[in-house]
Amino acid sequence: MMTEYAGYTIKWITLPWERQQAYALRQRVFCLEQGLFEGDDLDDIDRHARLLVALGSVGGWHDEVVGTVRIHQLEPGVWMGSRLAVESAYRRQGQLGSTLIRLAVCSAHALGCRAFYAQVQHQNEPLFRRMHWQTLEWQTLHGVRHARMQADLNFYPPCHDPLSGMVINATARKRTPDMPVFLTGAAV
């Protein structure tokens, strides 16, 4: 069941329940839905990776994890993102995956990232290309075609506060004839 949230916060995890729900979401997406792993998808990378979450918010309070991604440093200055997952009911929301990607790269950039890579499932490769990523090669992982991609860091300014993260307002304000444009940001 999908809760209609007024907004979403995308941030690094800070509380144990956020980690638990992120791992449970990954298990639903990668094990149950896609059948890529049996049981769970946890691996050695999870021991040192930074975990990011998209949290549905009600009245300013974080309610549940609806998206997640992890990042880790392969070597000094070289980062990798993986396990991007958004709850199926929230995939049409439209900004969760892209904002998780944005914060992943921007926060790594603030930590000295000089190169950021990801292995992206083929169906998500167009999204990453629109977000200024370049496909380097194609490979098969867990029986699924993946693009090995690299982010253009020029489009990802450093984010020095990933614990607070980024906020998405889920309700678009509509312009009425008597409402000034500056209140909505809508085009005239």
Side-chain angles (χ1 to χ4, degrees), residues 82-103:
S82 58
R83 301 294 204 270
L84 175 64
V86 174
E87 189 73 62
S88 61
Y90 295 90
R91 290 181 191 151
R92 293 192 181 273
Q93 196 283 336
Q95 299 177 64
L96 296 176
S98 59
T99 307
L100 281 161
I101 295 163
R102 189 171 297 109
L103 183 60

Side-chain angles (χ1 to χ4, degrees), residues 15-92:
L15 299 170
W17 71 266
E18 295 169 344
R19 180 180 302 279
Q20 292 166 349
Q21 286 192 16
Y23 287 162
L25 171 58
R26 284 175 30 188
Q27 194 267 343
R28 285 191 301 278
V29 171
F30 297 118
C31 301
L32 301 176
E33 181 183 324
Q34 297 181 1
L36 299 177
F37 304 95
E38 287 189 35
D40 64 55
D41 72 321
L42 299 175
D43 59 22
D44 289 339
I45 293 170
D46 287 304
R47 293 182 197 187
H48 59 89
R50 310 286 178 122
L51 194 59
L52 290 77
V53 290
L55 300 165
S57 300
V58 176
W61 292 92
H62 298 146
D63 185 50
E64 72 173 317
V65 172
V66 297
T68 188
V69 69
R70 69 180 183 183
I71 61 173
H72 69 283
Q73 194 167 201
L74 296 168
E75 61 186 63
V78 179
W79 286 74
M80 180 78 153
S82 58
R83 301 294 204 270
L84 175 64
V86 174
E87 189 73 62
S88 61
Y90 295 90
R91 290 181 191 151
R92 293 192 181 273

Side-chain angles (χ1 to χ4, degrees), residues 49-187:
R50 310 286 178 122
L51 194 59
L52 290 77
V53 290
L55 300 165
S57 300
V58 176
W61 292 92
H62 298 146
D63 185 50
E64 72 173 317
V65 172
V66 297
T68 188
V69 69
R70 69 180 183 183
I71 61 173
H72 69 283
Q73 194 167 201
L74 296 168
E75 61 186 63
V78 179
W79 286 74
M80 180 78 153
S82 58
R83 301 294 204 270
L84 175 64
V86 174
E87 189 73 62
S88 61
Y90 295 90
R91 290 181 191 151
R92 293 192 181 273
Q93 196 283 336
Q95 299 177 64
L96 296 176
S98 59
T99 307
L100 281 161
I101 295 163
R102 189 171 297 109
L103 183 60
V105 180
C106 290
S107 58
H109 200 177
L111 294 171
C113 176
R114 294 183 323 274
F116 195 103
Y117 300 95
Q119 293 168 329
V120 177
Q121 289 186 16
H122 65 94
Q123 71 270 18
N124 296 324
E125 192 248 0
L127 166 66
F128 280 74
R129 276 191 286 117
R130 284 192 304 272
M131 294 184 68
H132 304 281
W133 288 64
Q134 176 185 359
T135 300
L136 303 174
E137 66 179 326
W138 287 96
Q139 52 195 194
T140 300
L141 302 168
H142 306 287
V144 176
R145 190 166 190 235
H146 284 71
R148 183 170 174 272
M149 302 187 78
Q150 182 175 6
D152 182 344
L153 294 179
N154 293 319
F155 291 92
Y156 294 90
C159 173
H160 297 281
D161 190 11
L163 298 177
S164 295
M166 301 174 173
V167 176
I168 299 170
N169 184 357
T171 56
R173 289 182 271 173
K174 295 181 181 175
R175 179 168 156 64
T176 60
D178 59 334
M179 183 181 292
V181 171
F182 73 88
L183 291 178
T184 64

